[in-house]
Structure formats: structure tokens, C-alpha cells
Amino acid sequence: LSVSELVDASLKRIAETDGKIGAFLTLDEEGARKAASELDSSSGERGLLFGLPAGIKDNIVTEGLRTTCASRFLSNYDPIYDATVVEKLRSAQAVTVGKLNMDEFAMGGSNENSSYHPVRNPWDTTRVPGGSSGGSAASVAAGQVYFSLGSDTGGSIRQPAAYCGVVGLKPTYGLVSRFGLVAFASSLDQIGPITKNVEDAAFVLQAIAGHDGRDSTSANVDIPDYASALTGDVKGLRIAVPKEYFGEGIDPQVKERVLEALKTYESMGAVWEEVSLPHTEYAVATYYLLSSSEASSNLARFDGVRYGVRAEDPANLLDLYRRSRSEGFGPEVKRRIMLGTYALSSGYYDAYYKKAQQVRTLIKRDFDQVFEKYDVIVSPTAPTTAFRLGEQVDDPLTMYLNDICTIPASLAGVPAISIPCGLADGLPVGLQIMGKPFDEATVLRAAHAFE
Ligand code: GLN
């Protein structure tokens, strides 16, 4: 099979299925075909991801290829450089076929906040694919691409992976460069792979991880060989099961699938015990305060002057700012900017932002303590399976509570993967495995052994 044939197959599949799924915002047929034929005529050693068709979430910048963050504001934005992860995929010889739909600026958990069109879950097109990396998860689940990249701030890789029955990995904060990722909440954002299986996740992570001088929060750590960690052996693995992740709001069938998974681990020689992460109940509030605060600051750069669309015939500079932002941003993005601006304003800063930072530290300490005795923490990825389009869209609070299982790992900065662990009423359930900082190898090993 040549790379051109592989890329043609991917493009054909997209043409056949994307009318129903809506995973793509921009296709790059010409660029993909050209890259494929170059790889076909190349000689020498093959890259780690040689010839694999990939999709990129649309908040990761690609040189000359439209990057909208699913926002009207950036409907005309063609970046002049590639994100570090895009450069790395190219040097691993993967082929980018296009840019994937998402919630606007990665704010959301159902993909219904895209300014262009929603994404539908390939398992049941009346249901959401999750979000914000809904296009990334749906495109892999629908067999349109071999793998994709998503971004995760509070669960946006893991939750859609769970809803679409694929594998999604949020790496440790700092492991993968954020250079060229359009910032939502910089202290939380991480890019990671969405794949069909754990082995592929290990290979894609291998290709994109590593120190980058262009990202000031990039960690300078040794990158192990992730694939060699996939031994299939979990004998003696110490699994912590936090009781707070099994309480109210968790669907009984989801709980059941996770408990069955724990039994499987037990039969493979792992040991699990119930533990407590006592500050879990404050995680969602803490996350929405901090992430909205950071977003209000990060999104200040969209002023109608520097990027994207500019309001027509402004009366003066203030009018230019005001109208560009009113017309360019969708309702959820506006809600977060207002929330964040409020939390950061003088007089409220100590009560909200500072307090939330303090609680974040307590949440991080919960994790540190559990990891003194255990190798991984296992929980559901999301409280339920994929819900129906329109079901929660008018109820931001219910929507925010869907992130209850994924947000704590984001606040703590630790790695976490979601892998499929069976079905509930015919819909995929996700198992979340969280690990120690920079211990992706153990997370991947545990995930792989379960598959
Ligand atoms: N659903 C969460 C939110 O809306 C997570 C988003 C994300 O991880 N980018 O903020």
C-alpha cells in the first residue's frame, strides 16, 4: 500500500461520511496528496508515523492552512507558522489531511459551541461526540483519519474520546509544547493524541513530546520509549479508586463498567483499593473560575486589529474593539470572558481568583498524597455516555458538571488517559487512568494491558 493510496482512502472516507458527522472544518486535499506523493518517492529511514493520515484540532496553527478555532472571529485566519506539534508530526512523516471541528476556542463539552456546525457522534448521530475536541474524536471513531490531535484544558480530549469509543490521552502539563496552540487557559492547556488503540497513542505521544524553547512552560525532561512500556504486565500495579468519583450523578451503568474493569485488573494481578481525594467537590468551581480568568486575559488579543475579522466602518478605536468582539465571539465565549473579567477585577480578585488558586493547590496535594502509595488512579472518564444534541445546550451548569471526573487531573497537571471499557445501552463508556507527573509510561502500560 502506498502513502498516496492511504491518503486517498482517508479522503474518500471523509467525502462519504462527513456530511453526516461534520468533523472537519477545513480539508487540505491538495496538501495531503502532495505530502503523500513526496513520501512515496522518498528513500531512507521511515519516520515513526510514516504515511499515516492525521487530523488536527482547529485551535492548533498550521502554516497557510485556515485555523479558525471554530470561531467566526478567525474565519479568515491563515497562520504564518506551524505549531511545534505540527512540525513534529511532519518530521515523523504523518500526513495532515485537514482541520477538525471543536467548541469555539475549546470552550464546551459537546461541540455544540462551534460557530460553524455541530459534530455528530458516529455511534448515534442524534448524539453529541463530546467536546471540545469533538471533531478529533469523531473523525477517528468514523475511520476518517488514522489518528488526530486534540487539546485538553479540563477534559476536552478524554471526554470526547469516551463518548466516541476511542483512546484519548492528556499528557502531563508541560510534556508537549503549546507553541502554536491558541491559548484558552494557559496553565491547563495540553495537546494530546486521539487514537483507535493505546499502542497508537504511545507512538503519537513519542512523536510530539519533548522540550521546546518556544514554550516557556515546556518541561525539560527525558522522554522514555513509550512503546517499550507496553508489556501487557500489570502484576503488582497499585490502583487507587477515589470514592468521590462514584457518587451522585454517575450513571449506574457507567459505574458498573468501571467496576468490571477493576475486576479485570484484579484478575491480571493488579491490586486496587478505595481512596479519598477530599477536595474533589471543589474542582469544578475552581476550574471554571481559573480557566475563565485565564481565558478573559488570553482572548484580549482578539481586538479586531491583530487577528481575524474586523468590524466594518468603525466610528473610532473603541467602537472597533467593541463591535469586532461582539460580532466575532459566540455566546459561550462571551459568558466566560465576562466571568473571568469579573473574577479578576479589583475587589473581587482575592475572593475568587486567589481563593481558587489556593484550592487548586489543595487538589494537587490530594493527588500527591495518593501517589505516595499508588501507581495510578482509576475512575470513569465522564458521569454518563453521550447525550443528545440540544439536550443540555441551554443549561451551562449541567454542561459544566459533565467535566467532574476529568477536571481534577487538569488542575493537578497529571497525565490521564481515557480508554473504552464496554457499552451502556449501546453507547461507549470511558475508563480514565490518571498517573504521576511525567509517568505516561505507567499510564499507557496500565491502559494497554486492559485492551
Ligand atoms: N468542557 C470543559 C470546558 O468547557 C473543558 C474544555 C477543554 O478541556 N478545553 O471548559
Side-chain angles (χ1 to χ4, degrees):
L1 195 70
S2 70
V3 178
S4 295
E5 285 170 312
L6 204 56
V7 166
D8 279 343
S10 163
L11 292 171
K12 182 159 171 268
R13 179 89 183 148
I14 294 167
E16 283 165 4
T17 56
D18 213 43
K20 268 192 274 164
I21 307 293
F24 277 87
L25 288 175
T26 305
L27 264 183
D28 186 18
E29 294 196 36
E30 199 188 314
R33 289 219 167 84
K34 183 159 166 272
S37 77
E38 277 168 20
L39 287 176
D40 279 329
S41 56
S42 69
S43 53
E45 217 179 302
R46 288 183 171 187
L48 192 59
L49 306 175
F50 180 79
L52 298 180
I56 313 273
K57 188 176 181 180
D58 209 28
N59 58 351
I60 298 172
V61 304
T62 41
E63 185 181 346
L65 183 59
R66 181 117 330 154
T67 299
T68 68
C69 297
S71 180
R72 259 198 299 277
F73 217 129
L74 294 180
S75 55
N76 63 358
Y77 177 51
D78 297 327
I80 55 169
Y81 67 104
D82 277 323
T84 298
V85 290
V86 173
E87 281 179 356
K88 282 179 174 267
L89 287 190
R90 189 173 315 109
S91 36
Q93 298 184 326
V95 178
T96 299
V97 299
K99 304 298 292 289
L100 293 162
N101 206 349
M102 53 185 283
D103 286 300
E104 184 178 8
F105 286 107
M107 298 173 189
S110 69
N111 227 289
E112 292 162 296
N113 297 338
S114 168
S115 301
Y116 297 99
H117 51 83
V119 180
R120 290 170 183 276
N121 193 315
W123 289 73
D124 173 352
T125 52
T126 68
R127 291 177 189 270
V128 303
S132 63
S133 312
S136 302
S139 65
V140 172
Q144 298 176 333
V145 290
Y146 196 84
F147 73 90
S148 65
L149 294 184
S151 73
D152 190 311
T153 305
S156 278
I157 289 175
R158 292 161 283 160
Q159 182 254 29
Y163 285 5
C164 291
V166 293
V167 172
L169 171 67
K170 180 199 88 76
T172 308
Y173 183 78
L175 184 68
V176 175
S177 170
R178 291 185 296 112
F179 180 75
L181 171 67
V182 178
F184 162 14
S186 316
S187 78
L188 296 155
D189 299 338
Q190 264 298 283
I191 295 169
I194 296 185
T195 56
K196 281 271 194 204
N197 60 48
V198 175
E199 194 179 8
D200 292 345
F203 283 121
V204 178
L205 182 65
Q206 197 78 50
I208 62 174
H211 182 250
D212 181 8
R214 296 177 296 184
D215 168 2
S216 64
T217 59
S218 169
N220 205 340
V221 292
D222 288 331
I223 307 298
D225 180 31
Y226 295 116
S228 68
L230 309 180
T231 58
D233 182 11
V234 289
K235 231 171 263 122
L237 185 81
R238 294 163 303 173
I239 301 174
V241 180
K243 62 168 191 263
E244 291 81 1
Y245 288 61
F246 292 82
E248 211 190 316
I250 308 288
D251 179 288
Q253 286 198 63
V254 167
K255 198 155 138 182
E256 202 45 46
R257 292 298 93 80
V258 174
L259 293 175
E260 285 162 14
L262 289 168
K263 286 205 190 95
T264 306
Y265 276 113
E266 218 171 72
S267 72
M268 294 188 288
V271 287
W272 68 271
E273 279 169 357
E274 188 176 283
V275 300
S276 174
L277 294 166
H279 296 94
T280 303
E281 64 171 304
Y282 307 112
V284 171
T286 303
Y287 167 84
Y288 278 95
L289 256 160
L290 292 178
S291 65
S292 302
S293 297
E294 292 185 33
S296 73
S297 164
N298 275 324
L299 270 57
R301 78 194 63 190
F302 301 104
D303 54 7
V305 177
R306 285 171 287 187
Y307 304 91
V309 176
R310 178 177 300 178
E312 271 174 46
D313 303 322
N316 52 44
L317 188 61
L318 201 63
D319 185 49
L320 168 74
Y321 293 158
R322 188 182 293 131
R323 282 204 291 118
S324 298
R325 288 170 70 82
S326 317
E327 292 162 17
F329 291 134
E332 182 63 23
V333 174
K334 286 177 183 162
R335 178 162 29 241
R336 308 244 185 153
I337 291 173
M338 283 190 285
L339 203 72
T341 306
Y342 181 80
L344 290 177
S345 53
S346 75
Y348 297 106
Y349 179 93
D350 285 339
Y352 294 114
Y353 184 77
K354 193 170 158 211
K355 180 64 81 189
Q357 288 286 32
Q358 289 166 334
V359 179
R360 181 176 187 175
T361 302
L362 295 176
I363 290 168
K364 168 91 172 66
R365 273 188 208 151
D366 284 355
F367 277 87
D368 292 344
Q369 267 160 20
V370 167
F371 283 132
E372 277 172 17
K373 277 184 63 188
Y374 299 90
D375 303 306
V376 291
I377 301 175
V378 167
S379 77
T381 304
T384 65
T385 54
F387 47 91
R388 288 184 198 283
L389 265 90
E391 198 175 308
Q392 297 187 6
V393 80
D394 298 323
D395 185 0
L397 272 186
T398 306
M399 195 74 99
Y400 294 174
L401 285 170
N402 290 324
D403 302 329
I404 192 147
C405 303
T406 47
I407 277 175
S410 297
L411 290 169
V414 302
I417 197 169
S418 178
I419 58 172
C421 70
L423 303 176
D425 292 331
L427 295 170
V429 175
L431 182 77
Q432 179 174 231
I433 305 171
M434 299 170 261
K436 297 176 189 172
F438 301 108
D439 194 13
E440 276 75 6
T442 302
V443 171
L444 289 162
R445 173 164 64 94
H448 171 72
F450 179 79
E451 274 186 331

